Amino acid sequence: MTRLLAERLVAFGIIIAGGIVYLLTLDFPGRSDAFPDFAAISIILLAIGMLARSFTSRDIERLKGSVVFDFRYEAWKPLYVIIVGVIYSISVIYIGFYTSSFVFYFAVTYMTGLRNHKIIIMTAAFLFPLLYAFFSLALDAYLPEGLLF
């Protein structure tokens, strides 16, 4: 498969996925569909731009050659981070927001290759109290609590 064809197929796939999301949100009550509709339409417009750009002479030249499949960890890292993000979203319900966020933060920083432990811990020491203060104290939001807290 050529890189140009792959680019166009990805654009079509994104347009279809955005259309499905838009159709699924039509039944949301009130205006609760405003953000998902905006996001879906924006993604569709960007994909249309991506598709249109693939017909320009510059992109036709840039996308010459065949698709090369790379099965190294570095190439698949975004997919792994997405999978961990989905697991995080589910674990928030069962384990709790703060515990899941704490584990997710350290897992993703490790997965993305950040190894400066001093910076990671300093960021966590600043980030998590700030999250607690903002959501629990300032907004009085009740975040999901699970088995731990």
Side-chain angles (χ1 to χ4, degrees), residues 3-5 14-15 29 38 42 49 51 72 78 91-92 104 112 123-124 136 146:
R3 292 175 57 201
L4 185 63
L5 178 61
I14 292 171
I15 292 168
F38 172 75
S42 298
L51 182 63
R72 293 176 300 127
S91 70
V92 164
F104 178 72
T112 55
T123 303
S136 297

Coordinates of all heavy atoms in Angstrom, one line a residue, residues 3-5 14-15 29 38 42 49 51 72 78 91-92 104 112 123-124 136 146:
R3 N 1.9 5.2 0.7 CA 1.7 6.1 1.8 C 0.6 7.1 1.5 O -0.1 7.5 2.3 CB 3.0 6.9 2.1 CG 4.1 5.9 2.7 CD 5.4 6.6 2.9 NE 5.3 7.8 3.7 CZ 6.2 8.8 3.7 NH1 7.2 8.8 2.9 NH2 6.0 9.8 4.5
L4 N 0.5 7.5 0.2 CA -0.6 8.4 -0.2 C -2.0 7.8 0.0 O -2.9 8.4 0.5 CB -0.4 8.8 -1.7 CG -1.4 9.8 -2.2 CD1 -1.2 11.2 -1.5 CD2 -1.1 10.0 -3.7
L5 N -2.1 6.5 -0.4 CA -3.4 5.8 -0.2 C -3.7 5.6 1.3 O -4.8 5.8 1.7 CB -3.3 4.4 -0.9 CG -4.6 3.6 -0.7 CD1 -5.8 4.2 -1.3 CD2 -4.4 2.2 -1.3
I14 N -11.3 8.8 9.7 CA -11.6 9.8 10.7 C -12.9 10.5 10.4 O -13.7 10.8 11.4 CB -10.4 10.8 10.7 CG1 -9.1 10.1 11.3 CG2 -10.7 12.0 11.6 CD1 -7.9 10.9 11.2
I15 N -13.2 10.7 9.2 CA -14.5 11.4 8.8 C -15.6 10.5 9.2 O -16.6 10.9 9.8 CB -14.5 11.7 7.3 CG1 -13.5 12.8 7.0 CG2 -15.9 12.1 6.9 CD1 -13.3 13.0 5.5
P29 N -29.7 14.7 26.0 CA -30.7 15.7 26.5 C -30.2 17.1 26.5 O -29.0 17.3 26.8 CB -31.1 15.1 27.8 CG -29.9 14.4 28.3 CD -29.3 13.8 27.1
F38 N -19.3 19.7 18.8 CA -18.2 20.6 18.4 C -16.9 19.8 18.1 O -16.3 20.1 17.0 CB -18.0 21.7 19.4 CG -16.8 22.5 19.2 CD1 -16.8 23.5 18.2 CD2 -15.6 22.3 19.9 CE1 -15.7 24.3 18.0 CE2 -14.5 23.1 19.7 CZ -14.5 24.1 18.7
S42 N -15.3 19.5 14.4 CA -13.9 19.9 14.2 C -13.0 18.9 13.7 O -12.2 19.1 12.8 CB -13.4 20.5 15.6 OG -14.1 21.5 16.0
G49 N -9.7 18.5 5.5 CA -8.5 19.3 5.2 C -7.3 18.3 4.9 O -6.5 18.5 3.9
L51 N -7.6 15.2 3.9 CA -7.9 14.6 2.6 C -7.6 15.5 1.4 O -7.0 15.1 0.4 CB -9.3 14.1 2.6 CG -9.8 13.3 1.4 CD1 -9.0 12.0 1.2 CD2 -11.3 13.1 1.5
R72 N 8.4 -1.9 16.5 CA 9.1 -1.6 17.7 C 8.3 -0.9 18.8 O 7.3 -0.3 18.4 CB 10.4 -0.7 17.4 CG 11.4 -1.4 16.5 CD 12.5 -0.5 16.2 NE 12.0 0.7 15.4 CZ 12.2 2.0 15.7 NH1 13.0 2.3 16.7 NH2 11.7 2.9 15.0
P78 N 2.3 5.4 21.3 CA 1.1 6.2 21.4 C -0.1 5.3 21.6 O -1.0 5.6 22.4 CB 0.9 6.9 20.1 CG 2.3 7.0 19.6 CD 3.1 5.8 20.0
S91 N -10.6 2.6 35.7 CA -10.1 2.5 37.1 C -10.6 3.6 38.0 O -10.7 3.5 39.2 CB -8.6 2.3 37.1 OG -8.0 3.5 36.8
V92 N -10.8 4.8 37.4 CA -11.3 5.9 38.2 C -12.6 5.6 38.9 O -12.8 5.9 40.1 CB -11.5 7.2 37.3 CG1 -12.3 8.2 38.0 CG2 -10.1 7.8 36.9
F104 N -1.6 6.5 37.2 CA -1.6 6.9 35.8 C -0.5 7.8 35.5 O 0.3 7.7 34.5 CB -2.9 7.5 35.4 CG -3.0 7.9 34.0 CD1 -3.0 7.0 32.9 CD2 -3.0 9.2 33.6 CE1 -3.1 7.4 31.6 CE2 -3.1 9.6 32.3 CZ -3.1 8.7 31.3
T112 N 6.5 7.1 28.5 CA 7.0 8.1 27.5 C 8.5 8.3 27.5 O 9.0 9.0 26.7 CB 6.2 9.4 27.7 OG1 6.4 9.9 29.0 CG2 4.7 9.2 27.4
T123 N 6.9 17.5 40.3 CA 5.7 17.8 39.6 C 4.5 17.1 40.3 O 3.5 17.7 40.5 CB 5.8 17.3 38.1 OG1 6.9 17.9 37.5 CG2 4.5 17.6 37.4
A124 N 4.7 15.9 40.7 CA 3.6 15.2 41.4 C 3.3 15.8 42.8 O 2.1 16.0 43.1 CB 4.0 13.7 41.6
S136 N -11.9 19.6 45.0 CA -12.6 19.3 46.2 C -12.9 20.6 47.0 O -14.0 20.7 47.5 CB -11.8 18.4 47.1 OG -11.6 17.1 46.4
G146 N -13.4 5.2 45.0 CA -13.4 3.8 44.9 C -13.0 3.0 46.1 O -13.3 3.4 47.2

